[in-house]
Amino acid sequence: MTCDPRPKNTGLFRAHRLRAAGAACVVLTAALLTGCGQDSGSTSTGTETSEAARAVPERTTSTSPSPSASLTKDQQKRKKLLDSTKITFDKAVTTAEGAVAGSKLIELDLKAPGKDTGASASASASPSGASSSPSGSSASPSVTVSSPSASPASTGPEWVASVAAKDGTEHTVRIDAVTGKVLQTVEDQGQDAQEKSRTAERIAKATQTPQEAAKTAKDKAKGTVTSVDLDDNDKNVLVWSVDVVTKDWKETEVDVDAASGSVTGEHVDND
């Protein structure tokens, strides 16, 4: 009788192999899951970054505003007018008084191109409700108009002056503010004897010249004179009202006593 050797315990080895294979599968599966999770996370992060980039607006280059952008319309007009004016206030006074022999200045104003100078025509007319004659026919109004040819056109700024002769008769003188040339000299229409007498009286009382009054105003406001006017103030005091444009292109009105030369009032136009 042959004794066969006892068979080896193959089942035990098989179980060990199965457990080892299972453990390997578990490790592999975990590694795959981790890799997938990382990929998913990376994709999500990339997407969020892309979306965030799209959400940020593109940087635009801002330009600094021009100096004139901060000025009001009135300030811009004053700046433009003075930039184009070459004839100073003093020269305009001398030219205006020289246009009418023996005259004295009572008003001077710097005007922009296209502004009404008030010297193109003088007209006097009866009231619009003209009375009718007994026959029922209406009387036509009386109108006196100076010749249009006496008002030459000007494309630049002008000094418009009012000067008075010794008897008080007023004349309007237009001066080119670039060249200094006299554009027009015309006697104002419709002045009666009483108005002429009042004008002559004011000139006699005004011991301060317009140039002296302008200097006083400039010492007070520090700028460029653009207008002077001899008139009574609200306290019935004869004054030179002087307009001065300061460096910030604002306008200051300074009232100077026409007899004593003292400053009686000051008003700043902030527009």
Side-chain angles (χ1 to χ4, degrees), residues 76-238:
Q76 291 178 22
K77 288 178 181 179
R78 295 183 193 116
K79 182 179 185 304
K80 182 178 180 181
L81 176 59
L82 288 178
D83 285 346
S84 61
T85 298
K86 306 301 180 185
I87 301 302
T88 63
F89 163 82
D90 292 343
K91 290 182 179 180
V93 174
T94 302
T95 302
E97 291 180 340
V100 178
S103 66
K104 295 294 183 182
L105 184 89
I106 56 177
E107 186 177 358
L108 181 64
D109 192 18
L110 180 62
K111 292 184 178 292
K115 293 291 185 180
D116 182 15
T117 63
S120 59
S122 300
S124 60
S126 63
S128 57
S131 59
S132 302
S133 63
S135 62
S137 59
S138 59
S140 59
S142 174
V143 180
T144 303
V145 181
S146 62
S147 172
S149 61
S151 178
S154 174
T155 58
E158 294 182 18
W159 285 105
V160 181
S162 181
V163 297
K166 292 181 179 180
D167 64 351
T169 301
E170 296 183 23
H171 297 75
T172 297
V173 181
R174 294 171 51 216
I175 304 166
D176 190 309
V178 177
T179 65
K181 178 182 177 181
V182 174
L183 299 174
Q184 179 190 28
T185 302
V186 59
E187 180 180 329
D188 296 353
Q189 301 296 311
Q191 302 175 79
D192 57 28
Q194 185 177 1
E195 291 174 335
K196 292 180 181 181
S197 176
R198 183 168 59 249
T199 299
E201 183 180 354
R202 283 179 172 174
I203 292 175
K205 287 183 178 180
T207 56
Q208 290 285 310
T209 67
Q211 292 94 329
E212 291 171 335
K215 183 180 183 304
T216 300
K218 287 173 63 178
D219 290 342
K220 184 72 173 177
K222 306 296 182 184
T224 303
V225 174
T226 59
S227 175
V228 293
D229 183 18
L230 182 64
D231 202 356
D232 295 331
N233 64 9
D234 54 2
K235 295 181 180 179
N236 203 32
V237 176
L238 185 66

Side-chain angles (χ1 to χ4, degrees), residues 18-35:
L18 290 175
R19 283 195 295 269
C25 290
V26 170
V27 173
L28 180 60
T29 301
L32 291 174
L33 290 175
T34 302

